[in-house]
Amino acid sequence: MESWSVEQVCNWLKQRNLGELVPKFREEEVSGAALLALNDRMVQQLVKKIGHQAVLMDLIKKYQQQKSGLESLTYCETASQKFPEVISGKNLKSFFARHKILQWTSSYVLPDFPYDVKCILAEKKCPDHSMRIRIIEFLQADMTKYLEGSLYPNSQQYNIVVNALLQAYPFLDEDGNGFLLWKRALKDRFKYIRRPIEDDEQVLRNKCKFGHRRGQSRKSSFAENKLDDVQGQVEEKPAHLKGSAMDLHIKWLNQEYMKTQRNWEEVGNRMNVTIEIRRKMISDKAPLKDILRLFPFLRCPYQLFREFQLLTHMDIHKKTVEILEIYSENILSLYVVRNNPINIMLQENLKQHTEEDVLKYMKMTAACLLLPEVFGDDSSLFAAMNEEVKAVTPVLEVKNPFDVNSCEFALYIEREELAQLDDCTMALAALVAAFHVFDIPFPKRIHRTLNFLESLVFEVRSPASLP
């Protein structure tokens, strides 16, 4: 089935009385490989009738189970029959390694997650950024246990673990892209774990193979040179830390970022100590990925807010909450936004709820998203709602903004996700903070909106007002 063309898939549907689905499958170019990769959400998008959805998923499931069972039952027998002369010497070791993978596949079960993770999963809530990291950390540790200490899973093993996660918790499969996102996060976690290791033979062998020098982690030349430059300047000032001490602080921050339980007080202390080198890199226009690699805690929203406070002595999250509470009703009453799709969507959703807190949250969310419209700015440079982020400058990604159970906010910079955010107030605070922390100028097509927010945050004497 994997090698079937789109037409072969369509013929297969007709044979099973699912001919109504053929036009849609042709339009979406569903081949055999794509058919087997469909998940529940994709099937719901392709197939409108629940009965057809159930039949299609059952057929796919039965085929996969049959294929898996046949492979596991006949693998050893067919291999020995077809290649009797091959399974000897070095190849014998390879043969048993592949057989071990099959055993690993059949025996894998998800780890017993900690209590707080279980609570989030039980409530079927989409986890925030920190909770995602915790889930990935436990999956990585569990895979390492199954692999008997190896830090190099193969693609099949990644697939097994991610499939197990999404089958147990289907709501984690966001918009049908969950598989790729969770797999990438899991692979990145293994990379982070391997990077500082200097005494594992397998890790060192692979580092040498791919160009790493023994005992050293990989650094981009720009970041490495910039770090050396700043350390040289620091050494000239006796009151400041020496370069080697600064390096130790950065190494500690990277190691602490990988932990499940973090010492946030110590994180704050070390971020204070290293702010000079960080500001030097930012003012010299170091690539953002290099800054985040050395100081990964800038990905945590409250550390981003804390960095803003170190620079400006302002609590931006608190100020943003106040701004939205004060201005949300005024913004929603303006004539310019009356017929805006966001406002129409808000009014429809308000009818479905009676709880005062929920209504207030929805109005603040709508006011936040409507700000660029109020000032006649380009809203695509402010937030991408239920669509792909295209702006390079800091921008919000917003999904299902008025669905209390599934709304999501994220901050993107250079089209890469920086942080997951809890609500509209945190999202708006993170957006304004990112421009200041990373020293990014306001784009002209959004500057009126951002100037308005900035004037309120900094409590200037004559703040900007609504039009």
Side-chain angles (χ1 to χ4, degrees):
M1 184 178 283
E2 291 93 334
S3 59
W4 284 3
S5 65
V6 175
E7 283 305 316
Q8 286 174 308
V9 170
C10 293
N11 291 334
W12 178 79
L13 291 171
K14 292 174 184 176
Q15 292 168 7
R16 282 153 182 79
N17 299 319
L18 295 172
E20 291 182 31
L21 310 182
V22 167
K24 188 65 174 176
F25 273 61
R26 280 203 182 107
E27 180 186 342
E28 299 294 337
E29 298 182 358
V30 180
S31 62
L35 179 67
L36 295 177
L38 292 176
N39 57 34
D40 292 347
R41 185 167 296 187
M42 293 177 185
V43 171
Q44 289 171 10
Q45 292 174 346
L46 277 171
V47 184
K48 298 302 179 186
K49 294 182 180 178
I50 294 176
H52 287 168
Q53 292 176 11
V55 171
L56 183 62
M57 289 302 295
D58 185 59
L59 288 171
I60 294 172
K61 186 177 180 181
K62 284 180 178 177
Y63 176 83
Q64 290 173 334
Q65 288 176 342
Q66 182 182 13
K67 181 187 173 189
S68 178
L70 287 172
E71 285 180 349
S72 59
L73 287 170
T74 62
Y75 179 78
C76 295
E77 180 183 349
T78 55
S80 59
Q81 288 175 351
K82 291 184 179 181
F83 309 106
E85 73 285 357
V86 175
I87 305 176
S88 60
K90 291 183 179 179
N91 290 314
L92 185 62
K93 185 177 180 180
S94 175
F95 171 80
F96 282 116
R98 291 183 65 190
H99 180 62
K100 191 172 184 179
I101 290 172
L102 290 174
Q103 290 178 322
W104 190 91
T105 303
S106 61
S107 64
Y108 182 77
V109 292
L110 287 171
D112 187 22
F113 290 115
Y115 178 74
D116 58 335
V117 177
K118 285 181 181 177
C119 290
I120 293 293
L121 295 176
E123 294 173 4
K124 296 186 178 180
K125 290 183 178 178
C126 290
D128 60 17
H129 181 65
S130 60
M131 192 60 68
R132 286 168 182 266
I133 291 175
R134 295 202 68 198
I135 293 171
I136 288 296
E137 287 171 345
F138 276 89
L139 289 178
Q140 178 269 316
D142 195 58
M143 286 182 73
T144 305
K145 178 189 73 176
Y146 270 87
L147 294 167
E148 299 179 353
S150 173
L151 295 173
Y152 288 92
N154 60 33
S155 184
Q156 181 187 6
Q157 289 161 342
Y158 281 121
N159 293 346
I160 291 162
V161 173
V162 175
N163 275 324
L165 178 69
L166 297 184
Q167 285 176 12
Y169 308 104
F171 59 92
L172 296 177
D173 187 10
E174 304 165 14
D175 297 331
N177 296 320
F179 179 85
L180 295 176
L181 294 175
W182 285 98
K183 183 177 178 180
R184 169 54 56 193
L186 194 54
K187 292 177 79 172
D188 287 344
R189 172 66 183 172
F190 271 95
K191 287 181 182 177
Y192 280 123
I193 293 298
R194 293 193 299 259
R195 186 174 292 165
I197 292 176
E198 300 181 4
D199 57 356
D200 183 279
E201 183 180 347
Q202 186 185 19
V203 173
L204 289 175
R205 186 166 60 248
N206 278 275
K207 282 185 176 182
C208 292
K209 179 179 178 181
F210 293 104
H212 295 268
R213 289 175 289 174
R214 186 175 181 84
Q216 290 189 349
S217 60
R218 199 162 103 186
K219 289 185 178 180
S220 70
S221 58
F222 186 100
E224 190 172 23
N225 293 337
K226 188 57 61 183
L227 184 59
D228 290 341
D229 291 344
V230 176
Q231 287 172 353
Q233 293 174 13
V234 170
E235 286 173 1
E236 295 173 2
K237 302 175 183 179
H240 292 170
L241 288 168
K242 298 297 182 183
S244 58
M246 188 71 74
D247 214 9
L248 288 174
H249 285 299
I250 292 171
K251 185 175 181 180
W252 185 92
L253 287 167
N254 276 266
Q255 291 173 344
E256 192 71 10
Y257 186 74
M258 298 301 159
K259 293 181 180 178
T260 306
Q261 301 293 334
R262 292 160 178 165
N263 184 345
W264 288 107
E265 183 177 357
E266 185 62 16
V267 168
N269 292 336
R270 298 197 184 230
M271 288 292 282
N272 284 354
V273 170
T274 56
I275 189 169
E276 183 176 345
I277 183 174
R278 197 159 54 251
R279 301 319 305 169
K280 178 65 176 173
M281 288 183 70
I282 290 170
S283 65
D284 287 350
K285 306 301 179 186
L288 180 66
K289 62 181 180 180
D290 292 333
I291 297 165
L292 294 174
R293 184 175 58 76
L294 294 177
F295 304 100
F297 279 100
L298 290 177
R299 293 180 177 276
C300 301
Y302 283 104
Q303 286 299 314
L304 184 66
F305 299 159
R306 194 173 180 279
E307 186 86 349
F308 182 91
Q309 193 165 11
L310 289 173
L311 298 172
T312 64
H313 307 291
M314 288 288 180
D315 184 343
I316 190 168
H317 186 234
K318 180 181 176 182
K319 292 298 298 181
T320 305
V321 173
E322 293 173 0
I323 291 167
L324 286 179
E325 285 180 343
I326 293 170
Y327 285 88
S328 57
E329 290 289 348
N330 291 339
I331 291 169
L332 296 175
S333 66
L334 292 172
Y335 179 82
V336 70
V337 302
R338 188 170 298 173
N339 297 318
N340 188 281
I342 293 173
N343 200 9
I344 294 170
M345 196 185 307
L346 168 68
Q347 300 307 323
E348 291 174 353
N349 281 273
L350 288 177
K351 297 174 185 176
Q352 302 172 19
H353 298 274
T354 57
E355 301 89 346
E356 187 175 346
D357 289 341
V358 174
L359 298 178
K360 179 181 177 182
Y361 170 80
M362 285 184 175
K363 289 179 180 179
M364 289 171 66
T365 301
C368 172
L369 296 175
L370 286 169
L371 271 172
E373 302 293 336
V374 170
F375 289 94
D377 282 341
D378 186 348
S379 59
S380 67
L381 297 179
F382 185 84
M385 190 171 73
N386 295 327
E387 62 183 20
E388 182 182 356
V389 170
K390 296 179 181 178
V392 178
T393 52
V395 67
L396 299 176
E397 183 192 57
V398 185
K399 295 181 180 178
N400 310 316
F402 303 113
D403 188 329
V404 178
N405 297 316
S406 64
C407 61
E408 292 180 16
F409 295 85
L411 175 65
Y412 277 67
I413 304 181
E414 297 179 357
R415 299 193 186 96
E416 296 289 335
E417 182 178 297
L418 182 79
Q420 289 280 335
L421 307 157
D422 293 342
D423 55 33
C424 64
T425 57
M426 183 181 283
L428 190 56
L431 178 67
V432 177
F435 280 99
H436 284 272
V437 169
F438 297 109
D439 196 20
I440 299 170
F442 293 163
K444 288 184 179 179
R445 288 182 293 156
I446 197 70
H447 80 276
R448 285 184 288 267
T449 303
L450 297 174
N451 284 339
F452 167 75
L453 293 168
E454 184 183 64
S455 69
L456 296 174
V457 169
F458 292 117
E459 301 176 342
V460 299
R461 285 188 177 181
S462 300
S465 58
L466 293 173

